[in-house]
């Protein structure tokens, strides 16, 4: 079997989704941990320190390329699967009661993923483009978040960017919270699903994995959601 | 017409070996040129088609279901016998042979039964190699259970789904041959007739049930593996589609019909609940290992079974047959239930049921479990709970099935059971080679008048079906086909095919054009009632004569007033059913005729005139030690031929289970 | 158990053949006993239709004891109806009450085209088995059955997987019409047994390739298949097949 055949097969596609998804899950841990530094409420010092590290470390920057590639694969593959799966049932049922046999979010990964994608575009526009290109090509207006000094080096003041984005902007906060909620449902299914895809289904361990998945999804998403809320409510800043 | 059972000469235990040593062979190059048609894909058909495909024959297999995996062999629950003696309890080929001949009430052919016992061990080997997941012990070796009152543990099983697992094994072997191109599978096809050229079977006419088209198929030989005809009774444990059509068409083309009246009525089935009932469901015989069968001692008892005190219960099997108790063979147990119900002691709303009670077993197992835990002061409640767990592990799936159908919980309330038609020992008469009286036409499995004589033992049907398909026909068919290598494939444009197709088409048109007022189903029900009442568990001369007259009248009515809606060209289940019911009606008449001439009681055939003083079957070896082989002469006209049965080894004795 | 009678409204999918369009038709049935099976209720309806000059409803069924896998209705939005671990033929009318409306549709999947009314063509399953759902052992090749001890747990798991009846409820119920549960049950059964080892890799690769060819959808682990499977086949089998497939893919030389 060639690798092309593998990736074209139904299980190959599934494994691709699982692998890329798993990578994104581990990325979220890092992302969430570093962002949670804002809760030190030290004017963004710790947060910016780590933000700078992430933005300047060669290894991390290389990994970032991988992240985008994986993200793209996850999105494209996901959309292709969604389309293919829809055509597998050309005539729909008139009556269905899917909630009697499965969780709605497990059936709505495409929809949740699309919502997350919309949110992600806004999110990248808010934070990623200024930190990457702001100083360089003026892709994003950084008039107000100029560079700040850190260890005698000029760094992007991403903390300030957060304040700017969230502090007086209820709509953005709401969109973020909704985005994070979509993410939470997506993860609730995706986390344990990835293990199933890799062939890990065990009487003893699967319940643990499922529990871990629920814990992970809730903690990560709660932390993420708290960030815009805390800033909006001036708990931080 | 002369007919010869072709039993090989020599010692009983050498006959089959000897036969195999001298049988004609077909060389591999010639096998590729020989075409074989297999009708039916149950255990016999699937195993035969697969084995013949493996050998290199060009096989065409037909089934009326949507896939060969659906054949009704799949529903067999209990297990499959084999003389492996893995339990070191004294089993042997001879014992299996002996038990089967005796269990069949001395109405089977010894040589065939001996061969069956011989190949039984290879069946288990073959199935295990195919990946059939039989039950195993902790050491990883195969597990056995005792079944049907035998004194040795020789039954191999896969929970309560042995038939399913064996059939899926044969089905997978068949599908492998389909993939390899050796077998062509025709699902949703029903055989409509055998095509005869000169004195040989040369093919079939089949109807594609999806398009309604008639198809002509040539074969150097035709194998009928189409199962039994229990559905002649309308209500039976058979599948809804199980039918006699293939066998009946063969019969009308010259194949003798053997022992048609030998029907097995299984004692433990879920009773009928109303006149809408479409089929009956078997509760495995294994339940009788632990359940006790009883009826109230008082007529018209209306209390709940649990409220009836011990002294007011009649454990009639234990009373009548102290040696075997609840484990008496099927025919004996069935008749005993009927006797109690006929006397007015039946239970349930219809009063046609008896109790199968697990309360004692639950308590007994509870005590054993408590003992294992060293708890000698457990309350009865605790014991019952422990016991229920044990019973659940042993029979959980059966109990669940019972509850699903009746809505009653058998852990707390005794099951209600009643006998139901389950299997037919009768079928197309075949010789030692499984060839019918028509050259090139073979019958395998339940479709033939089998090795079971007048009564089949539990876990023997699966054994016979697979023996015929895997280990008998691959040898015996070669003996015929070796002489056919010079016969080139005959074009289906041959006049014999055209005529046969036309006859089938004419019959279909006739049926469609009746446009009467009564449904096919209603005729089938009426036929079933006649058969059950007069040719069922007990038969008598007067009833049988009445039945014959009633069936003849029913036949007339059917052919003048049946209503078949829909079209010929397309899927039309009513038309399919009509063809089957028309054949059942004719068969019903023959069954009654057969029962009428057999002036004795043996196995499943109980003639009320021939019983001992205490109501047991009275066999007449002097006058009836033969196989009735009925020859079709014309409408309602049959000639009885007799194949004398000679017992060299197992001398007939009175079966006694007292 | 109290028995009762009921009157029902049935909305049943009627479709002449594969080519024609279908639609839901409404029928009334009266005095249906709670003790009847669902298919017996259909028998009553069909008798009624025949006698009033209508065409009876075509539906697949055979053993009526929940083992052949032939019955296949989507009843009130669920494969095999409202009971779990159950086939349509074993569904009984006490699941419904007087005055209920019951909507009955055929299995819906591109891989299972409608033949007529509620009958569908599931031959795709046979072709998947042909691709590798067997152990290549010709009749007569077998060694003594007890030559090969098999770990009881593996034997039991293989049996559980092998209890699949091939009804297609997994496909019918899956939001993606995926056949993973069916295919994985056979792959698992044979992967768990030592007899299946020689063909272990080619089997999973070929069966999955055939499954994909048959237009089934992709599995997204919703586990609806397991919930609706009449025989309770576990999705652990799907995980096992994924693993087998990955392993086989990495191991092949081309």
């Amino acid at each position: 079997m060639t690798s092309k055949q593998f990736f074209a097969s139904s299980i190959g596609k599934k494994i691709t989704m699982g692998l890329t998804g798993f990578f994104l899950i581990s990325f979220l841990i890092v992302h969430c941990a570093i962002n949670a530094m804002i809760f030190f409420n030290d004017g963004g010092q710790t947060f910016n320190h780590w933000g700078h590290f992430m933005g300047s470390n060669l290894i991390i920057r290389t990994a970032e390329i991988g992240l985008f590639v994986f993200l793209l694969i996850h999105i494209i593959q996901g959309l292709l699967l969604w389309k293919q799966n829809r055509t597998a049932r050309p005539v729909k049922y008139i009556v269905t009661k899917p909630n009697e046999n499965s969780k709605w979010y497990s059936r709505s990964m495409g929809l949740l993923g699309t919502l997350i994608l919309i949110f992600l575009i806004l999110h990248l526009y808010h934070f990623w483009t200024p930190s990457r290109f702001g100083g360089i090509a003026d892709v994003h207006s950084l008039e107000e978040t100029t560079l700040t000094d850190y260890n005698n080096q000029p760094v992007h003041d991403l903390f300030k960017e957060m304040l700017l984005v969230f502090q007086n902007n209820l709509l953005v906060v709401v969109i973020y919270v909704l985005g994070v909620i979509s993410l939470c449902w997506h993860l609730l299914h995706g986390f344990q699903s990835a293990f199933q895809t890799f062939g890990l289904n065990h009487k003893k361990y699967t319940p643990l994995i499922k529990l871990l998945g629920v814990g992970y999804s809730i903690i990560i998403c709660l932390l993420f959601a708290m960030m815009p809320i805390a800033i909006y409510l001036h708990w931080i800043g | 017409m002369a007919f010869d059972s072709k039993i090989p000469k020599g010692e009983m235990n050498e006959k089959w070996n000897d036969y195999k040593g001298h049988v004609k062979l077909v060389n591999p190059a010639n096998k590729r040129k020989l075409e074989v048609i297999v009708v039916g894909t149950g255990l016999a058909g699937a195993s035969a088609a697969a084995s013949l495909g493996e050998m290199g024959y060009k096989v065409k297999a037909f089934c009326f279901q949507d896939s060969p995996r659906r054949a009704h062999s799949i529903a067999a629950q209990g297990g499959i016998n084999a003389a492996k003696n893995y339990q070191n309890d004294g089993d042997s080929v001879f014992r299996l042979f002996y038990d089967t001949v005796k269990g069949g009430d001395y109405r089977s052919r010894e040589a065939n039964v001996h061969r069956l016992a011989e190949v039984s061990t290879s069946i288990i080997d073959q199935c295990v190699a195919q990946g059939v997941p039989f039950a195993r012990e902790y050491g990883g070796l195969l597990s056995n259970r005792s079944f049907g009152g035998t004194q040795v543990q020789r039954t191999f099983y896969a929970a309560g789904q042995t038939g399913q697992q064996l059939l899926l094994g044969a089905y997978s072997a068949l599908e492998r041959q389909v993939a390899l191109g050796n077998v062509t599978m025709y699902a949703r096809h029903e055989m409509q007739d055998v095509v005869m050229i000169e004195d040989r079977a040369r093919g079939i006419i089949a109807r594609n049930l999806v398009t309604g088209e008639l198809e002509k198929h040539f074969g150097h030989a035709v194998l009928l593996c189409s199962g039994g005809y229990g559905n002649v009774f309308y209500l039976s444990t058979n599948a809804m589609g199980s039918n006699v059509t293939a066998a009946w068409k063969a019969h009308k083309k010259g194949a003798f019909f053997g022992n048609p009246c030998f029907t097995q009525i299984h004692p433990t089935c879920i009773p009928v609940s109303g006149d809408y009932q479409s089929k009956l469901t078997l509760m495995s015989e294994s339940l009788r290992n632990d359940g006790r069968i009883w009826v109230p001692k008082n007529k018209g008892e209306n209390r709940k079974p649990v409220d009836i005190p011990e002294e007011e219960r009649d454990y009639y099997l234990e009373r009548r047959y102290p040696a075997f108790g609840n484990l008496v063979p099927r025919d004996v147990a069935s008749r005993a239930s009927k006797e109690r119900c006929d006397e007015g002691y039946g239970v349930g709303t219809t009063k046609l049921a008896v109790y199968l009670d697990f309360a004692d077993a639950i308590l007994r197992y509870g005590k054993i479990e408590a003992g294992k835990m060293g708890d000698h002061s457990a309350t009865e409640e605790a014991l019952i709970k422990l016991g229920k767990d044990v019973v659940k592990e042993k029979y959980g799936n059966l109990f669940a099935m019972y509850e699903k159908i009746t809505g009653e919980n058998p852990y707390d309330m005794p099951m209600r059971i009643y006998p139901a038609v389950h299997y037919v020992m009768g079928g197309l008469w075949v010789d030692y080679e499984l060839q019918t009286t028509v050259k090139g036409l073979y019958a395998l499995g339940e479709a033939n008048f089998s090795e079971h004589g007048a009564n089949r033992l539990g876990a023997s049907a699966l054994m016979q079906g697979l023996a015929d398909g895997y280990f008998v026909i691959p040898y015996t068919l070669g003996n015929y086909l070796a002489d056919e290598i010079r016969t080139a494939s005959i074009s289906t444009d041959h006049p014999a095919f055209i005529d046969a197709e036309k006859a089938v088409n004419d019959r279909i048109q006739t049926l469609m054009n009746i446009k009467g007022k009564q449904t096919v189903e209603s005729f089938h029900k009426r036929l079933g009632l006649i058969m059950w009442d007069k040719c069922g568990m007990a038969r008598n001369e007067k009833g049988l004569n009445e039945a014959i007259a009633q069936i003849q009248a029913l036949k007339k009515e059917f052919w003048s007033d049946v209503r078949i809606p829909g079209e010929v060209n397309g899927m039309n289940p009513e038309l399919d059913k009509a063809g089957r019911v028309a054949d059942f009606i004719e068969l019903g008449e023959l069954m009654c005729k057969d029962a009428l001439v057999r002036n004795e009681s043996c196995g499943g055939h109980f003639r009320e005139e021939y019983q001992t003083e205490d109501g047991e079957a009275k066999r007449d070896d002097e006058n009836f030690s033969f196989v009735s082989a009925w020859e079709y002469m014309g409408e309602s006209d049959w000639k009885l031929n007799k194949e004398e049965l000679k017992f060299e080894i197992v001398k007939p004795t009175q079966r006694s289970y007292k | 158990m109290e028995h009762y009678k009921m009157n029902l409204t049935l909305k049943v999918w009627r479709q002449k053949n594969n080519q024609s369009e279908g639609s839901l038709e409404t029928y009334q049935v009266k005095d249906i006993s709670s003790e009847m099976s669902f298919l017996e209720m259909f028998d009553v309806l069909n008798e009624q239709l025949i006698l009033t000059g209508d065409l009876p409803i075509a539906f697949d069924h055979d053993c009526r004891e929940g083992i052949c896998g032939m019955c296949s209705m989507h009843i009130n939005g669920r494969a095999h109806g409202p009971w779990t671990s159950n086939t349509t033929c074993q569904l009984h009318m006490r699941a419904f009450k007087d005055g209920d409306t019951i909507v009955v549709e055929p299995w819906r999947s591109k891989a299972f085209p409608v033949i007529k009314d509620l009958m569908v063509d599931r031959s795709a399953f046979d072709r998947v088995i042909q691709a590798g759902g067997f152990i290549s052992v010709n009749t007569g090749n077998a060694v003594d059955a007890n030559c090969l001890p098999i770990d009881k747990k593996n034997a039991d798991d293989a049996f559980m997987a092998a209890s699949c009846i091939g009804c297609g409820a997994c496909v019918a119920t899956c939001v993606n019409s995926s056949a993973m549960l069916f295919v994985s049950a056979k792959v698992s059964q044979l992967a768990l047994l030592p007899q299946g080892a020689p063909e272990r890799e080619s089997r999973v690769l070929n069966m999955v390739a055939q499954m994909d060819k048959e237009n089934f959808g992709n599995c997204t682990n919703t586990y609806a298949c397991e919930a609706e499977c009449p025989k309770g086949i576990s999705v652990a089998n799907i995980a096992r097949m994924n693993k087998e497939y990955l392993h086989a893919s990495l191991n092949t030389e081309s």
Side-chain angles (χ1 to χ4, degrees):
Chain A
M1 153 164 292
T2 62
S3 46
K4 197 176 154 196
Q5 282 169 320
F6 174 80
F7 287 111
S9 74
S10 55
I11 297 184
K13 285 181 208 156
K14 216 168 120 107
I15 290 175
T16 313
M17 289 303 281
L19 278 176
T20 50
F22 208 72
F23 187 82
L24 297 171
I25 284 172
S26 46
F27 156 75
L28 279 182
I29 298 176
V30 179
H31 183 16
C32 185
I34 289 177
N35 278 33
M37 302 297 173
I38 63 165
F39 293 117
F40 282 117
N41 208 359
D42 54 1
Q45 268 227 343
T46 323
F47 171 62
N48 275 340
H49 165 76
W50 286 105
H52 175 69
F53 169 76
M54 296 301 284
S56 58
N57 185 292
L58 192 66
I59 297 172
I60 306 266
R61 294 299 301 272
T62 315
E64 188 184 34
I65 299 170
L67 172 67
F68 272 98
V69 173
F70 276 30
L71 184 65
L72 268 176
I73 294 175
H74 195 80
I75 293 168
I76 294 169
Q77 186 77 277
L79 288 172
L80 286 175
L81 280 174
W82 178 74
K83 188 169 167 278
Q84 208 171 31
N85 289 343
R86 273 182 65 88
T87 53
R89 178 164 294 141
V91 184
K92 309 281 174 235
Y93 289 110
I94 295 160
V95 182
T96 49
K97 284 183 189 151
N99 289 332
E100 311 236 338
N101 53 43
S102 55
K103 300 271 193 293
W104 71 269
Y105 51 87
S106 74
R107 300 187 309 268
S108 315
M109 292 298 272
L111 174 72
L112 291 168
T114 309
L115 290 176
I116 296 168
L117 179 62
I118 294 167
F119 157 73
L120 191 65
I121 291 165
L122 186 72
H123 181 53
L124 290 174
Y125 170 78
H126 279 150
F127 295 104
W128 185 74
T129 47
S131 78
R132 283 290 164 276
F133 307 114
I136 311 158
D138 202 23
V139 190
H140 188 283
S141 169
L142 263 184
E143 283 150 34
E144 287 156 283
T145 53
T146 43
L147 305 180
T148 177
D149 263 4
Y150 181 77
N151 276 359
N152 302 321
Q153 267 190 327
V155 299
H156 295 294
D157 191 351
L158 280 171
F159 181 71
K160 200 165 172 197
E161 176 77 7
M162 279 176 96
L163 301 185
L164 279 172
V165 171
F166 298 129
Q167 222 156 30
N168 297 309
N169 210 337
L170 184 62
L171 182 67
V172 172
V173 173
V174 170
I175 291 174
Y176 266 66
V177 171
L178 290 178
V180 168
I181 290 174
S182 305
L183 178 67
C184 186
W185 289 118
H186 199 78
L187 287 171
L188 270 177
H189 177 69
F191 189 94
Q192 53 82 23
S193 175
F195 286 88
Q196 163 84 2
T197 297
F198 304 147
L200 268 157
N201 187 315
H202 192 278
K203 258 205 178 110
K204 199 154 66 182
Y205 305 118
T206 297
L208 283 179
I209 289 170
K210 286 193 172 166
L211 200 68
L212 192 70
V214 173
Y216 167 89
S217 313
I218 291 175
I219 291 169
I220 294 275
C221 294
L222 207 62
L223 279 170
F224 273 134
M226 282 314 291
M227 292 168 197
I229 293 172
I231 291 170
Y232 182 76
L233 296 176
H234 292 275
W235 294 345
I236 287 172
Chain B
M1 186 171 157
F3 68 119
D4 176 10
S5 53
K6 293 194 210 148
I7 299 168
K9 302 262 179 300
E11 290 292 313
M12 187 60 68
N13 53 4
E14 281 306 317
K15 282 182 197 288
W16 178 232
N17 262 338
D18 225 47
Y19 177 88
K20 285 194 290 184
H22 296 99
V23 72
K24 284 180 232 164
L25 299 173
V26 181
N27 90 38
N30 283 331
K31 283 195 185 110
R32 285 195 289 273
K33 292 186 226 148
L34 292 168
E35 298 178 48
V36 180
I37 285 174
V38 179
V39 180
T41 57
L43 285 178
S47 59
S51 302
L52 296 172
E54 287 160 7
M55 293 166 79
Y57 292 112
K58 273 163 73 181
V59 180
K60 288 177 173 184
F62 296 79
C63 69
F64 70 80
Q65 299 93 339
D66 73 331
S67 160
R69 66 178 294 151
R70 314 259 187 238
H72 198 56
S73 305
I74 205 153
Q77 297 170 353
I80 176 166
N81 288 333
K84 279 285 195 187
N85 194 28
Y86 281 160
Q87 305 307 322
N88 196 29
D89 55 1
D91 197 12
S92 64
V93 166
F94 181 81
R95 278 206 193 268
L96 177 53
F97 157 70
Y98 179 90
D99 287 352
T100 308
V101 174
K102 180 187 173 204
D105 220 359
Y106 307 97
R107 290 294 173 264
S108 50
R109 194 188 286 149
E110 273 189 327
N112 284 48
V113 178
H114 202 277
R115 175 179 65 192
L116 175 66
E118 285 173 57
V119 303
S120 68
T121 56
S122 308
I123 297 171
I124 303 301
D125 300 340
Q126 182 63 27
C127 294
V128 166
Q130 284 170 345
V132 170
F134 283 120
R136 285 176 187 269
E137 306 290 352
Y138 282 99
L141 300 176
L142 291 159
S143 172
N144 291 114
R145 63 179 165 204
S146 70
F147 201 79
T150 54
Q151 288 161 307
V152 292
Q153 295 193 331
R154 64 160 74 102
T155 304
F156 294 79
Y157 63 100
Q161 285 144 264
T162 318
Q164 178 197 28
Q165 294 310 317
L166 294 175
L167 181 63
L168 293 183
Y171 159 77
S172 68
L174 170 64
E175 292 295 355
R176 172 169 161 253
Q177 293 307 310
V178 172
L180 291 170
N182 298 327
V183 177
T184 312
M185 186 66 225
Y186 296 85
R188 292 199 195 267
H189 276 66
E190 184 156 26
M191 187 194 115
Q192 300 289 318
D193 211 349
V194 181
V195 178
M196 303 283 295
I197 296 180
E198 287 156 10
D199 60 342
R200 281 157 202 265
R202 289 299 188 194
I204 62 167
I205 305 295
R207 184 164 179 268
N208 178 332
L209 300 182
V210 176
T211 63
E213 282 164 280
L214 293 181
E215 296 173 4
K216 299 172 289 207
H217 294 275
F218 165 78
H220 287 89
V222 176
L223 274 50
L224 301 183
C225 314
S226 48
Y229 49 81
N231 270 350
V232 68
F233 291 89
Y234 184 71
L235 287 181
S236 79
T237 65
N238 285 6
M240 300 302 287
S242 302
N243 66 78
V244 75
T245 292
W248 196 250
K249 302 300 185 197
H251 174 56
K252 289 174 102 170
K253 286 282 163 83
F256 289 4
F257 214 103
N259 293 337
C261 81
F262 285 172
T263 310
Q264 179 160 78
I265 317 266
H266 196 292
T268 52
C269 299
I270 300 177
V272 176
S273 64
D275 56 5
Y276 46 78
Q277 192 96 22
S278 60
K279 81 151 268 158
L280 295 169
T281 303
L282 177 80
M283 291 276 104
S284 169
E285 183 158 26
S286 60
L287 290 174
R288 283 199 283 144
N289 286 332
D290 280 313
R292 295 180 73 193
I293 294 176
W294 62 276
V295 289
K297 277 186 182 163
N298 304 320
K299 285 187 189 180
E301 178 66 73
N302 278 324
R303 284 174 288 179
K304 277 191 194 158
V306 285
D307 297 334
I308 301 174
E310 199 61 26
E311 59 277 12
E312 290 177 43
R313 299 176 178 190
D314 176 16
Y315 294 92
Y316 57 88
L317 285 178
E318 297 169 24
R319 170 171 60 78
R320 281 179 70 176
Y321 308 100
F324 277 69
N326 294 296
L327 291 173
V328 292
R330 293 174 176 179
D331 52 343
V332 178
S334 294
R335 274 197 299 275
S337 316
K338 177 177 156 55
E339 187 272 336
R340 283 292 88 188
C341 293
D342 287 352
E343 290 298 312
Y345 296 97
V347 301
T349 42
T350 57
K351 299 287 172 203
L352 282 175
V354 299
Y355 290 126
L356 177 61
D357 198 336
F358 290 86
D360 281 357
I362 287 172
L363 206 58
R364 177 162 48 86
Y365 284 123
K367 279 182 189 152
I368 295 171
E369 286 303 296
K372 278 188 203 163
M373 295 186 293
D375 181 0
H376 300 294
S377 56
T379 59
E380 184 163 325
E381 212 171 308
L383 292 176
I384 288 176
K385 193 177 171 300
L386 287 169
K388 276 183 187 171
D389 290 342
V390 177
V391 168
K392 185 168 189 182
E393 205 184 307
K394 290 181 86 138
Y395 308 112
N397 60 337
L398 296 169
F399 277 45
M401 185 152 84
Y402 181 84
E403 185 166 6
K404 224 172 247 173
I405 293 172
T406 62
E408 289 171 4
N409 178 355
Y411 292 97
D412 299 328
M413 190 101 90
M415 285 183 179
R416 281 175 296 109
I417 53 157
Y418 197 67
V421 175
H422 177 55
Y423 184 90
V424 289
M425 283 71 72
L428 292 174
W429 182 91
V430 290
D431 60 21
Y432 190 72
E433 298 184 312
L434 304 183
Q435 188 164 217
T436 65
T437 46
V438 171
K439 281 187 195 135
L441 184 66
Y442 291 75
L444 284 67
E446 194 181 347
N448 67 27
F449 98 98
S450 58
E451 357 285 62
H452 308 299
N455 174 53
R456 180 176 65 75
L457 290 179
S460 284
L462 303 183
M463 171 171 70
Q464 186 225 337
L466 289 179
D468 288 358
Y470 282 136
F471 297 109
V472 178
I473 200 72
Y475 294 91
T476 60
L477 187 62
N479 205 28
Y480 173 75
L481 290 178
D483 295 333
E484 288 290 314
I485 51 176
R486 276 168 213 91
T487 310
S489 289
I490 297 169
S491 159
T492 52
D493 293 332
H494 186 285
F497 277 96
I498 306 283
D499 292 348
E501 187 188 27
K502 186 176 175 301
V504 170
N505 195 34
D506 289 350
R507 183 173 186 258
I508 290 174
Q509 293 302 338
T510 309
L511 279 169
M512 294 299 293
N513 287 334
I514 297 169
K515 295 187 176 22
K517 289 189 204 61
Q518 302 179 60
T519 63
V520 178
E521 199 75 9
S522 66
F523 281 106
H524 195 181
K525 267 187 199 182
R526 284 165 63 193
L527 172 67
L529 269 181
I530 299 172
M531 294 300 292
W532 181 243
D533 284 347
K534 300 190 166 143
C535 194
M537 270 190 283
R539 297 134 181 209
N540 59 50
E541 191 184 344
K542 182 171 162 277
L544 288 166
N545 276 321
E546 282 167 11
I548 290 169
Q550 283 173 340
I551 292 170
Q552 284 172 349
L554 187 72
K555 184 171 159 188
K556 247 187 220 129
E557 204 178 323
F558 177 89
W559 284 95
S560 58
D561 198 30
V562 73
R563 169 183 287 201
I564 304 165
E567 298 165 8
V568 177
N569 304 317
M571 172 61 83
N572 188 344
E574 283 300 311
L575 175 59
D576 309 341
K577 205 157 62 181
R580 295 169 193 166
V581 171
D583 294 334
F584 276 137
I585 293 176
E586 295 179 15
L587 165 76
E589 188 179 343
L590 177 62
M591 286 172 73
C592 294
K593 282 217 155 107
D594 186 42
L596 193 59
V597 299
R598 193 168 279 278
N599 289 328
E600 64 161 350
S601 294
C602 62
H605 169 67
F606 188 76
R607 280 283 299 273
E608 287 168 345
E609 304 94 317
Y610 306 97
Q611 51 181 310
T612 60
E613 275 169 19
D614 45 359
E616 303 300 333
K618 203 160 136 192
R619 217 176 53 226
D620 179 355
D621 291 327
E622 207 163 302
N623 297 307
F624 292 95
S625 186
F626 62 79
V627 176
S628 335
W630 293 91
E631 185 177 359
Y632 183 78
M633 309 302 286
E635 202 183 324
S636 292
D637 184 13
W638 286 273
K639 183 179 157 218
L640 174 63
N641 300 280
K642 295 176 186 174
E643 179 200 344
E644 292 300 330
L645 292 169
K646 292 186 196 73
F647 293 92
E648 297 170 27
I649 311 279
V650 190
K651 296 296 175 202
T653 52
Q654 187 67 39
R655 276 198 316 161
S656 172
Y657 298 93
K658 301 230 169 214
Chain C
M1 166 89 10
E2 278 304 304
H3 306 306
Y4 54 93
K5 298 260 170 171
M6 64 195 103
N7 297 335
L8 300 165
T9 304
L10 293 168
K11 294 189 171 177
V12 184
W13 185 263
R14 301 304 305 263
Q15 183 172 336
K16 190 166 181 241
N17 56 39
N18 196 4
Q19 260 69 50
S20 57
E21 296 270 311
S23 61
L24 277 188
E25 299 293 329
T26 306
Y27 305 99
Q28 308 290 336
V29 282
K30 288 194 166 53
D31 288 331
I32 296 298
S33 158
S34 61
E35 286 182 283
M36 273 187 201
S37 75
F38 194 78
L39 294 184
E40 282 164 352
M41 184 270 290
F42 256 73
D43 293 341
V44 170
L45 171 61
N46 271 349
E47 290 290 285
Q48 190 177 306
L49 290 175
I50 295 167
L51 292 174
T52 52
D54 275 329
L55 284 178
I57 300 157
F59 59 93
D60 269 325
H61 63 113
D62 200 25
C63 79
R64 295 206 179 183
E65 48 186 284
I67 193 75
C68 77
M70 197 142 164
C71 58
S72 60
M73 297 179 185
H74 204 259
I75 302 161
N76 272 353
R78 288 183 66 189
H80 291 305
W83 289 356
T84 50
S85 303
N86 197 60
T87 54
T88 294
C89 65
Q90 295 290 75
L91 176 65
H92 278 66
M93 293 312 291
R94 63 179 188 278
F96 302 94
K97 56 184 194 306
D98 189 32
D100 276 358
T101 298
I102 306 173
V103 181
V104 189
E105 298 171 76
W107 283 172
R108 295 291 188 198
S109 163
K110 194 175 180 182
F112 290 166
V114 171
I115 292 173
K116 182 176 183 157
D117 298 340
L118 302 170
M119 270 181 186
V120 296
D121 177 358
R122 285 167 289 191
S123 54
F125 273 7
D126 289 330
R127 291 188 291 275
V128 171
I129 297 296
Q130 282 160 24
F134 48 75
I135 288 171
S136 297
V137 51
N138 283 0
T139 306
N141 279 349
V143 293
D144 185 85
N146 257 352
C147 276
L148 197 64
I150 299 173
D151 179 88
K152 182 163 165 57
K153 187 182 176 304
N154 283 350
D156 288 350
D157 285 352
F159 168 75
M160 293 299 287
S163 62
C164 167
I165 57 174
C167 64
C170 46
V171 174
T173 212
C174 173
V175 67
N176 310 318
S177 294
S178 168
M180 287 285 276
L181 193 66
F182 169 79
V183 181
S184 71
K186 190 46 78 181
V187 167
S188 275
Q189 178 203 342
L190 301 179
L192 281 161
L193 298 171
Q195 304 94 302
E199 296 165 285
R200 194 164 169 177
E201 290 179 359
S202 60
R203 174 181 305 119
V204 67
L205 294 176
N206 293 337
M207 287 181 77
V208 170
Q210 187 63 37
M211 171 181 85
D212 290 349
K213 222 190 275 174
E214 298 288 350
N215 291 317
F216 292 109
N218 301 279
C219 174
T220 55
N221 300 337
T222 69
Y223 310 141
C225 50
E226 179 185 80
E228 295 292 17
C229 174
K231 296 294 153 187
I233 308 282
S234 163
V235 292
N237 292 305
I238 296 183
R240 188 177 292 110
M241 178 161 81
N242 293 339
K243 197 159 57 184
E244 292 284 320
Y245 189 79
L246 190 59
H247 188 264
S249 308
L250 292 171
N251 244 2
T252 50
E253 287 173 348
S254 57

